[in-house]
Amino acid sequence: MSLTVSDLTVARGGAPVLEGVSFTLPDGAALVLRGPNGSGKTTLLRTIAGLQMPLEGTIEGAEDRIAYAGHLDGLKPTLTVAENLSFWASVFGAHDGIDAAVEAFNLKGLTTRAAGALSAGQKRRLGLARLLVTSMPVWVLDEPTVSLDQSSVALFADAVRAHLAGGGLALIATHIDLGLEGEVLDVTPFRARPRIDPVFEMDLS
């Protein structure tokens, strides 16, 4: 099942930031969002992930299929690496994949360490490893490579490729080239035009 976004208008603080956004992302494909800071990429991703409502338009194929990774790592600092992955696996009703997630993001030597004691890069790798234990086919990712060094970025890109090869799909906002095959969507042309509330319009004639 593909992810289809049609004529979507999204808002930040009640004010439209992007309008008329439309695309279809088939299973096994990636779409990279580009645009300057503040252009609305995060707002668009949060809306598609179901964390806020759109002002207009429709999103089809996202229901109960999305794993979202935003700017925060989503970790419980007092739990170990393994316990964090087990927690997220239980939240999504998954019963396997933890060992594969540890291997994919080079966390093998850290499984008994508390998440709060990890470095920024290690926390980010653990936060991304959560994706592998959710069993969700749609990954919606907002600047996922923040705090990652070059080798860790390569691990992440490999994980995305494996996800796509298994029929999953990925929607990613990033400023770097991950070396993924897929389309790029610049959100700049979709910036919303200023809207004037007719209640506040004045007749100056």
Side-chain angles (χ1 to χ4, degrees):
M1 181 187 297
S2 62
L3 174 67
T4 300
V5 170
S6 303
D7 295 322
L8 201 66
T9 297
V10 300
R12 181 172 55 235
V17 290
L18 296 174
E19 61 183 1
V21 179
S22 298
F23 62 82
T24 296
L25 186 58
D27 290 349
L31 178 66
V32 174
L33 298 183
R34 293 281 167 80
N37 291 336
S39 59
K41 300 185 301 295
T42 293
T43 303
L44 177 60
L45 293 179
R46 286 178 55 82
T47 303
I48 292 173
L51 300 178
Q52 62 184 66
M53 295 295 294
L55 292 184
E56 298 173 0
T58 60
I59 304 165
E60 298 178 353
E63 304 83 0
D64 301 321
R65 303 176 71 222
I66 284 183
Y68 173 75
H71 294 157
L72 300 179
D73 295 316
L75 306 177
K76 293 186 175 296
T78 60
L79 298 184
T80 67
V81 166
E83 288 168 343
N84 266 280
L85 292 175
S86 295
F87 169 78
W88 284 106
S90 66
V91 167
F92 285 89
H95 303 290
D96 53 23
I98 293 176
D99 290 342
V102 168
E103 182 71 23
F105 284 93
N106 194 23
L107 298 168
K108 191 171 183 179
L110 302 171
T111 55
T112 60
R113 186 177 301 182
L118 300 176
S119 69
Q122 291 167 341
K123 288 178 181 177
R124 175 56 74 171
R125 288 188 351 243
L126 176 55
L128 294 173
R130 293 183 301 122
L131 298 168
L132 300 183
V133 304
T134 65
S135 298
M136 293 292 104
V138 183
W139 290 1
V140 176
L141 312 175
D142 192 3
E143 298 294 345
T145 60
V146 171
S147 300
L148 295 184
D149 59 21
Q150 188 173 359
S151 62
S152 296
V153 170
L155 290 177
F156 167 71
D158 287 343
V160 174
R161 290 190 191 95
H163 179 63
L164 300 178
L169 57 88
L171 179 61
I172 310 171
T174 180
H175 293 288
I176 70 171
D177 183 4
L178 296 172
L180 300 174
E181 292 185 7
E183 300 293 329
V184 174
L185 178 66
D186 187 344
V187 302
T188 305
F190 299 100
R191 283 184 172 176
R193 295 161 294 179
R195 300 187 180 186
I196 300 176
D197 190 328
V199 173
F200 295 99
E201 287 185 349
M202 298 178 62
D203 183 0
L204 300 179
S205 59

